[in-house]
Amino acid sequence: MPQYADLVKPELLTQPVYQPGKPIDDVARELGLDPDGILKLASNENPLGASPKATAAAKAAIDQVQLYPDGGCYALKQILALKFDLAAEQFIVGNGSNEVLELLGHAFIDKGDEAVMGKGAFIVYKLVTLLFGGVPIEIPMADFRHDLKAMVAAITDRTKIVFLPCPDNPSGTANTESETLAFIDSLPDHVIFVFDEAYAEYQDKPIDLRPLIRNGRKIVCTRTFSKIYGLAGLRIGYGYADAELIQLLNRAREPFNANSVAQAAAIAALQDESFVEECRSANQAGLAQLQSGLQSLNIEYIESHANFVTAKIGGGGAAFEALQKEGVIVRPLAPYGMAEWIRISIGRPEENERALACLNSFLNS
Ligand SMILES: *Cc1c(COP(=O)(O)O)cnc(C)c1O
């Protein structure tokens, strides 16, 4: 009798599984801790929560959950179009920007196709490529930054997609605007450039690729409501590109991929610019606090452009375990080939203090 393993698509048997940040309830259950006392700094979530306007809109939308959502996300795309000065047809909304990345795989990665990415960059690029039978071409980072020259040199006739996050997760590094523009300029015509802007709103001046998109370059930018907008639990993100490319992604999209509560919250979140501004400046202060705290503890870290700091703690797994016992969840980075490192999301000031105190006692233990 054939086993499932004989029936399944072969690439699925070797497909790596994404390891998420550990949920608070899991830690509470395993260690017998009060969930209310647990601090999760493991998934780059917003320590200030979401805009009250967004949560109010979500609560109001709950009253209509018997209805299917607007699969075309009309209202959300109208607001995005205004905000970005692009056409509504240039946007696709996903169940998190993760889904937009997956749709790119659906649409463009066939067996044996190559996708070029940084080694140790956000792992979803590799997972998506493998899932569709593609070949991830992983280019070593140079001083934790994407080595754009080496990435261009790795492009072949089989390359379909080049992924670049800015800033990157988990390194927190960002390539400069001029480097990035020169890089895009040197990409051949058959390559689609995916620019992952999950942390763009934390930048004072994010790199703007809209002029290139308007000029017909094969570029897809992805953004999310999970990070600065604080809506990670609702799963909603988007991509913008040339309308023709968006139309192709829509063919691979399931009809109701973005739920109605998430759409309502996202619309309200986009309109609350002062909340975003508050989160951006709180993050800058928290970043300074965490980085100077690490410095005082003599812990090496990578200068970050995002809402987390990646630090070399010796045994990343041991530090993760030790902090977890103290009720602080951070992210061990062994899955990224950085076994000595942990990633700490920036929390509120007292939360950053608590994380630093735990690191201090770990180092002294
Ligand atoms: C968090 C993150 C995302 C996407 O998250 P979603 O919740 O799926 O929108 C994408 N790229 C990077 C680099 C991230 O860190």
Side-chain angles (χ1 to χ4, degrees), residues 6 26 38 42 51 54 88 110 121 139 144 183-184 196 208 217 229 237 243 262 302 308 353 358:
D6 304 319
D26 286 10
I38 295 176
S51 155
D110 219 337
I139 307 304
F144 301 106
F183 172 66
I184 296 170
D196 184 340
D208 183 2
R217 291 301 306 251
Y229 294 103
I302 308 168
F308 55 84
E353 275 317 315
C358 289

Short mmCIF file of all heavy atoms in Angstrom, two decimals, residues 6 26 38 42 51 54 88 110 121 139 144 183-184 196 208 217 229 237 243 262 302 308 353 358:
data_model
loop_
_atom_site.label_atom_id
_atom_site.label_comp_id
_atom_site.label_asym_id
_atom_site.label_seq_id
_atom_site.Cartn_x
_atom_site.Cartn_y
_atom_site.Cartn_z
N ASP A 6 4.96 8.48 -0.41
CA ASP A 6 5.10 8.11 -1.82
C ASP A 6 4.20 8.98 -2.70
O ASP A 6 4.41 9.10 -3.90
CB ASP A 6 4.71 6.65 -2.04
CG ASP A 6 5.51 5.72 -1.17
OD1 ASP A 6 6.73 5.95 -1.04
OD2 ASP A 6 4.92 4.78 -0.59
N ASP A 26 2.45 29.17 25.22
CA ASP A 26 3.29 27.96 25.23
C ASP A 26 4.29 28.03 26.37
O ASP A 26 4.51 27.06 27.09
CB ASP A 26 4.08 27.83 23.91
CG ASP A 26 3.20 27.39 22.76
OD1 ASP A 26 1.96 27.36 22.94
OD2 ASP A 26 3.75 27.08 21.68
N ILE A 38 4.56 37.42 31.34
CA ILE A 38 5.53 37.05 30.31
C ILE A 38 5.66 38.18 29.29
O ILE A 38 4.67 38.76 28.85
CB ILE A 38 5.13 35.73 29.62
CG1 ILE A 38 5.20 34.59 30.65
CG2 ILE A 38 6.04 35.43 28.44
CD1 ILE A 38 4.74 33.25 30.11
N ALA A 42 9.96 38.59 20.72
CA ALA A 42 10.46 37.55 19.82
C ALA A 42 9.97 37.67 18.39
O ALA A 42 10.46 36.96 17.51
CB ALA A 42 10.07 36.17 20.37
N SER A 51 -3.26 51.09 16.76
CA SER A 51 -4.00 52.35 16.91
C SER A 51 -5.39 52.04 17.49
O SER A 51 -6.06 51.11 17.02
CB SER A 51 -4.15 53.01 15.54
OG SER A 51 -5.29 53.85 15.54
N ALA A 54 -7.86 51.67 14.89
CA ALA A 54 -7.85 50.40 14.15
C ALA A 54 -8.59 49.32 14.94
O ALA A 54 -9.37 48.55 14.37
CB ALA A 54 -6.41 49.96 13.87
N ALA A 88 -5.19 52.09 -7.90
CA ALA A 88 -5.67 51.01 -7.03
C ALA A 88 -5.31 49.64 -7.62
O ALA A 88 -5.06 48.68 -6.87
CB ALA A 88 -7.19 51.12 -6.86
N ASP A 110 8.95 28.15 -11.03
CA ASP A 110 8.66 26.81 -11.53
C ASP A 110 9.84 25.91 -11.16
O ASP A 110 10.88 26.40 -10.73
CB ASP A 110 8.49 26.88 -13.05
CG ASP A 110 7.37 25.98 -13.52
OD1 ASP A 110 7.05 25.02 -12.80
OD2 ASP A 110 6.82 26.25 -14.61
N ALA A 121 19.15 35.97 5.20
CA ALA A 121 18.08 36.99 5.09
C ALA A 121 16.78 36.36 5.59
O ALA A 121 16.73 35.17 5.91
CB ALA A 121 17.94 37.45 3.65
N ILE A 139 23.39 34.09 -1.21
CA ILE A 139 24.65 34.81 -1.31
C ILE A 139 25.09 35.28 0.08
O ILE A 139 24.34 36.00 0.75
CB ILE A 139 24.47 36.04 -2.25
CG1 ILE A 139 23.87 35.60 -3.58
CG2 ILE A 139 25.79 36.77 -2.43
CD1 ILE A 139 24.65 34.53 -4.32
N PHE A 144 27.14 41.42 7.53
CA PHE A 144 25.71 41.33 7.82
C PHE A 144 24.83 42.16 6.90
O PHE A 144 23.63 42.26 7.09
CB PHE A 144 25.42 41.72 9.29
CG PHE A 144 26.13 40.85 10.27
CD1 PHE A 144 27.23 41.33 10.98
CD2 PHE A 144 25.74 39.53 10.46
CE1 PHE A 144 27.91 40.51 11.86
CE2 PHE A 144 26.41 38.71 11.34
CZ PHE A 144 27.50 39.20 12.04
N PHE A 183 21.99 48.80 -7.91
CA PHE A 183 21.76 47.35 -7.97
C PHE A 183 20.57 47.05 -8.90
O PHE A 183 20.67 46.22 -9.81
CB PHE A 183 21.48 46.85 -6.55
CG PHE A 183 21.03 45.43 -6.42
CD1 PHE A 183 21.87 44.39 -6.75
CD2 PHE A 183 19.76 45.14 -5.93
CE1 PHE A 183 21.47 43.07 -6.60
CE2 PHE A 183 19.34 43.84 -5.78
CZ PHE A 183 20.20 42.79 -6.12
N ILE A 184 19.47 47.74 -8.68
CA ILE A 184 18.28 47.51 -9.49
C ILE A 184 18.59 47.81 -10.96
O ILE A 184 18.18 47.09 -11.86
CB ILE A 184 17.10 48.37 -8.99
CG1 ILE A 184 16.70 47.95 -7.58
CG2 ILE A 184 15.90 48.27 -9.93
CD1 ILE A 184 15.71 48.89 -6.90
N ASP A 196 11.37 43.99 0.00
CA ASP A 196 10.56 43.71 1.19
C ASP A 196 10.69 44.88 2.17
O ASP A 196 11.73 45.07 2.80
CB ASP A 196 11.02 42.40 1.82
CG ASP A 196 10.17 41.99 3.02
OD1 ASP A 196 9.48 42.84 3.61
OD2 ASP A 196 10.21 40.79 3.38
N ASP A 208 12.43 55.00 -2.01
CA ASP A 208 11.19 55.10 -2.78
C ASP A 208 11.40 54.53 -4.18
O ASP A 208 12.08 55.14 -5.01
CB ASP A 208 10.80 56.58 -2.85
CG ASP A 208 9.47 56.78 -3.56
OD1 ASP A 208 8.83 55.77 -3.96
OD2 ASP A 208 9.06 57.95 -3.72
N ARG A 217 9.61 49.19 -14.52
CA ARG A 217 10.60 48.20 -14.06
C ARG A 217 9.87 47.05 -13.36
O ARG A 217 8.84 47.23 -12.74
CB ARG A 217 11.59 48.84 -13.07
CG ARG A 217 12.56 49.86 -13.68
CD ARG A 217 13.43 49.29 -14.79
NE ARG A 217 14.16 48.10 -14.41
CZ ARG A 217 15.47 48.07 -14.22
NH1 ARG A 217 16.20 49.15 -14.36
NH2 ARG A 217 16.06 46.94 -13.92
N TYR A 229 2.13 48.97 12.44
CA TYR A 229 0.69 49.17 12.63
C TYR A 229 0.13 48.28 13.74
O TYR A 229 -1.03 48.43 14.14
CB TYR A 229 -0.07 48.93 11.32
CG TYR A 229 0.24 49.96 10.26
CD1 TYR A 229 1.09 49.66 9.19
CD2 TYR A 229 -0.30 51.24 10.32
CE1 TYR A 229 1.40 50.60 8.23
CE2 TYR A 229 -0.01 52.19 9.35
CZ TYR A 229 0.84 51.86 8.31
OH TYR A 229 1.13 52.80 7.35
N GLY A 237 -1.31 42.31 4.84
CA GLY A 237 -0.18 43.02 4.26
C GLY A 237 -0.49 43.27 2.80
O GLY A 237 -1.57 42.92 2.31
N ALA A 243 0.54 47.24 -12.70
CA ALA A 243 -0.78 46.63 -12.67
C ALA A 243 -0.82 45.26 -13.36
O ALA A 243 -1.57 44.37 -12.95
CB ALA A 243 -1.80 47.56 -13.32
N ALA A 262 -9.76 42.36 9.33
CA ALA A 262 -8.42 42.86 9.02
C ALA A 262 -8.48 44.04 8.05
O ALA A 262 -7.77 45.04 8.23
CB ALA A 262 -7.57 41.74 8.43
N ILE A 302 24.46 44.02 16.16
CA ILE A 302 24.49 44.59 14.81
C ILE A 302 23.66 45.88 14.84
O ILE A 302 22.50 45.85 15.27
CB ILE A 302 23.91 43.61 13.77
CG1 ILE A 302 24.59 42.24 13.87
CG2 ILE A 302 24.04 44.18 12.37
CD1 ILE A 302 23.89 41.14 13.09
N PHE A 308 14.14 45.91 16.20
CA PHE A 308 14.75 44.80 16.94
C PHE A 308 16.26 44.96 16.88
O PHE A 308 16.77 45.71 16.04
CB PHE A 308 14.34 43.46 16.33
CG PHE A 308 14.66 43.36 14.86
CD1 PHE A 308 15.93 42.99 14.41
CD2 PHE A 308 13.70 43.67 13.90
CE1 PHE A 308 16.23 42.93 13.06
CE2 PHE A 308 14.00 43.62 12.54
CZ PHE A 308 15.27 43.24 12.13
N GLU A 353 14.43 47.44 29.73
CA GLU A 353 15.21 47.32 30.96
C GLU A 353 15.18 45.89 31.48
O GLU A 353 16.20 45.34 31.88
CB GLU A 353 14.64 48.26 32.05
CG GLU A 353 15.16 49.68 32.00
CD GLU A 353 16.66 49.77 31.75
OE1 GLU A 353 17.44 49.02 32.38
OE2 GLU A 353 17.06 50.59 30.90
N CYS A 358 17.84 40.71 32.46
CA CYS A 358 17.90 39.26 32.29
C CYS A 358 19.18 38.85 31.56
O CYS A 358 19.80 37.84 31.89
CB CYS A 358 16.70 38.75 31.51
SG CYS A 358 15.17 38.81 32.44
#
